[in-house]
Amino acid sequence: MFSAFLIDAAYFIAAFLFLFGLKRMASPVTARSGIVIAGGGMVLAVAAAFLYGFDVSPRAQPHLGMNLLLLVIALGLGVSWAWYSGKRVAMTDMPQMVALYNGMGGGAAAAIAATELFSGNALAHGPVVTLLAVLGGLIGAVALSGSLIAWAKLDGRMNKTWRLPNQQYVNLGLFCAALAMGAALVVMGLMDVVQAPVFVIALFFIVALVLGVMLTTPIGGADMPVVISLYNAFTGLAVAFEGFVLQNPAMIIAGTVVGSAGTLLTLMMAKAMNRNVSNIIFSDFGGGDDSDDSEISGSMKAADASDAAIAMYYASKVIIVPGYGLAVAQAQHKLYEFVKLLQKQGVEVSFAIHPVAGRMPGHMNVLLAEAGVPYDIIYDLEDINEDFPQADVAIVLGANDVVNPAARTRKSSPIYGMPILNVDQARQAYVVKRGQGKGYSGVENELFFEENTSMVYGDAQKVMVQMIEAIKSLG
Amino acid sequence: MEITTTITGFVALYIFLLAAFAGYEIIGRVPAILHTPLMSGSNFIHGIVVVGAMWALLNAGSTLEQVIGFFGVLLGAGNAAGGYVVTERMLEMFKPSTKVAPSTEDKE
């Protein structure tokens, strides 16, 4: 069939464009063209998929007109809603948006599994195809409901982290129940049952969806980026499995690439946060009895914003450590204005980004890029940590745990072992902070009590305005 | 069209193996500054699921399959389009220094 050849050829080109595009996304210089190239592959694949209409199964033949109409409506609605919401979302809200789009992909994979199981297509092709359909359906459904919960939590629509007593056993039970029903379906495929009972299939998907909810609700907001990344990998895997069921190589390749890439990304994120993936999913983090309020000697010293600004003005090397607090105060633009004043004076300014600065890894880079900060003065932790001893001034804006030296020294601390930025090694450190509170982890920050650290209290936006004024008044 | 099983057994496993390594290698070299766009970009790539959902909807033979297929295409299309838009928006903002003297009046 000629249409089948065209579809295969289009998928081949699309798979090439996806890999080529992803590769180009690996460098900031070519990244933009990478996503455009991958987007071209997607348009081509979707256009080719319309050719399926020339060659539908006999039982679908009478419905073809209706199905085409539904297809156009669904595509139109899905694309226009996503386009509109994607254009409008603020950069600070990016994590939950990624979670939402990812959940939709998982849902689509689960929907494919459901149609193949309900229509009897999967069972007709034997136990292997049924097994893959079932596995893809399970993973996709978990990714769908789990991502929706992650979205709701990050979007502030669901603030409670509730858990049932013995929730791990409940989850285990749900998982086993889903597996048992999946296994039953596979056995039916083995025994040449043509049509599996509808209620078994329906129950299977319901249990899988509930499992996704139960797995995600106990996880706190701080761990959510790792969870989103994990569900991203899950969805990739589900898409690959459904690709095998439909014998669709583009889905197999794209899904597998995302599955492995997403797994690697998840592990890298977890490592940067000093967390273990299985701990995040299965543990009882935040039990609440970590009372490590203890013997930190010394006291915090306060400084004026203008004093800090002038110290930086006469420095030769300044390192800025931005945190999510900076973005909350919407102070990135003012900060870059200040940095440009310093650069004009000949001060060497660099930005030091902790791997988990922002709300997910790399998020801070996006927020700085939005303010116009060029990426070549932004450095990762490994690249800049040895520069701190040569820095005249290091200034911390809206970050806390990621600069706490206790992570290096204090074994009893919950953040012990987490890689940190060595702000304490700079000759002079300023910390811009709204108040004297503790960080996300609830740990007191030893940096604030150091001899060479001064605290600048206030909203980051207002502090930046004061600093700019102080410099301008110098002439 | 019936599903013709041509990608089976070891051929399927080979594809799986090679694609898994490709994904690992591509991501392994990405600098940390691009992790957020990259997560979003890989999220876009699995939006290809929409073509599978299109096949399922076009081959739907009952009302139930039509309803599920409709939502499959809707969700898949949202995944692909949304993933593309946010990734493109983020990557567009990454710019190098204007390599002239420090005193530049950048365009806003």
Side-chain angles (χ1 to χ4, degrees), chain A residues 11 23 25-28 31-32 35-36 38-39 42 45-46 49-50 52-53 55-57 59-60 63 66-67 70-71 74-75 77-78 82-83 86-87 89 91 94 98 101-102 104-105 107-109 111-112 115-116 118-119 121 125 228-229 232 235 239 244-248 251-252 254 256-258 260-261 264-265 268-269 343 360-363 365-366 369-370 374-376 380, chain B residues 1-7 12 15-16 19-20 22-24 26-62 64-66 68-70 72-97 99 102-106 108:
Chain A
Y11 284 170
K23 177 86 190 110
M25 276 188 239
S27 152
R32 170 98 197 281
I35 181 69
V36 175
M42 189 67 76
V46 170
F50 273 97
Y52 284 138
D55 199 10
V56 298
S57 66
R59 57 189 284 276
H63 306 285
M66 185 62 184
N67 287 352
L70 287 174
L71 174 59
L75 264 185
L77 277 179
W83 203 273
K87 283 279 181 206
V89 62
M91 284 298 152
M94 212 42 98
V98 173
Y101 295 142
N102 176 51
M104 295 173 80
I112 294 172
T115 55
E116 293 310 288
F118 279 126
S119 70
N121 248 338
H125 285 86
I228 297 174
S229 179
N232 189 36
T235 304
V239 170
F244 280 115
V245 172
L246 299 182
Q247 292 289 298
N248 182 326
M251 281 169 69
I252 299 175
T256 310
V257 165
V258 175
S260 78
L264 179 61
L265 203 56
M268 290 187 338
M269 284 184 193
Q343 285 176 327
M360 64 184 187
H363 191 205
N365 303 83
V366 173
E370 189 188 17
Y375 59 75
D376 45 21
D380 291 339
Chain B
M1 188 182 72
E2 282 295 298
I3 303 171
T4 49
T5 38
T6 48
I7 310 173
I15 296 181
F16 197 72
Y24 189 90
I26 290 170
I27 301 287
R29 289 190 215 141
V30 170
I33 73 163
L34 285 175
H35 275 175
T36 290
L38 199 80
M39 186 155 124
S40 164
S42 61
N43 179 36
F44 158 72
I45 299 280
H46 68 52
I48 188 68
V49 70
V50 69
V51 301
M54 287 170 73
W55 185 89
L57 177 54
L58 285 172
N59 284 280
S62 68
L64 179 63
E65 289 165 47
Q66 283 176 323
I68 301 172
F70 178 83
V73 174
L74 184 75
L75 294 173
N79 180 186
Y84 180 84
V85 172
V86 296
T87 309
E88 204 261 356
R89 266 185 69 198
M90 283 192 268
L91 290 176
E92 186 199 27
M93 298 182 316
F94 281 89
K95 300 234 163 62
S97 294
K99 272 290 173 209
S103 59
T104 42
E105 283 306 309
D106 278 6
E108 287 304 316

Side-chain angles (χ1 to χ4, degrees), chain A residues 392-457:
Chain A
D392 301 301
V393 179
I395 178 163
V396 180
L397 293 135
N400 191 338
D401 291 332
V402 299
V403 296
N404 191 344
R408 284 201 308 260
T409 54
R410 194 177 289 266
K411 283 222 169 69
S412 61
S413 172
I415 61 169
Y416 178 74
M418 181 172 85
I420 58 152
L421 289 161
N422 299 330
V423 172
D424 55 322
Q425 294 172 357
R427 287 185 199 117
Q428 170 70 43
Y430 289 101
V431 177
V432 178
K433 209 167 171 304
R434 279 161 57 125
Q436 300 193 339
K438 295 175 183 175
Y440 217 109
S441 67
V443 182
E444 199 68 78
N445 195 332
E446 291 177 9
L447 172 72
F448 302 167
F449 299 90
E450 296 265 343
E451 196 61 34
N452 56 352
T453 303
S454 298
M455 309 295 290
V456 180
Y457 291 113

Side-chain angles (χ1 to χ4, degrees), chain A residues 96-162:
Chain A
Q96 57 261 44
M97 222 52 205
V98 173
L100 190 57
Y101 295 142
N102 176 51
M104 295 173 80
I112 294 172
T115 55
E116 293 310 288
L117 288 169
F118 279 126
S119 70
N121 248 338
L123 265 65
H125 285 86
V128 176
V129 170
T130 311
L131 175 67
L132 289 171
V134 164
L135 283 180
L138 173 63
I139 299 170
V142 168
L144 168 64
S145 58
S147 296
L148 283 177
I149 299 290
W151 166 78
K153 285 197 169 195
L154 288 171
D155 211 41
R157 283 158 205 267
M158 184 179 158
N159 294 319
K160 268 188 290 191
T161 13
W162 55 266

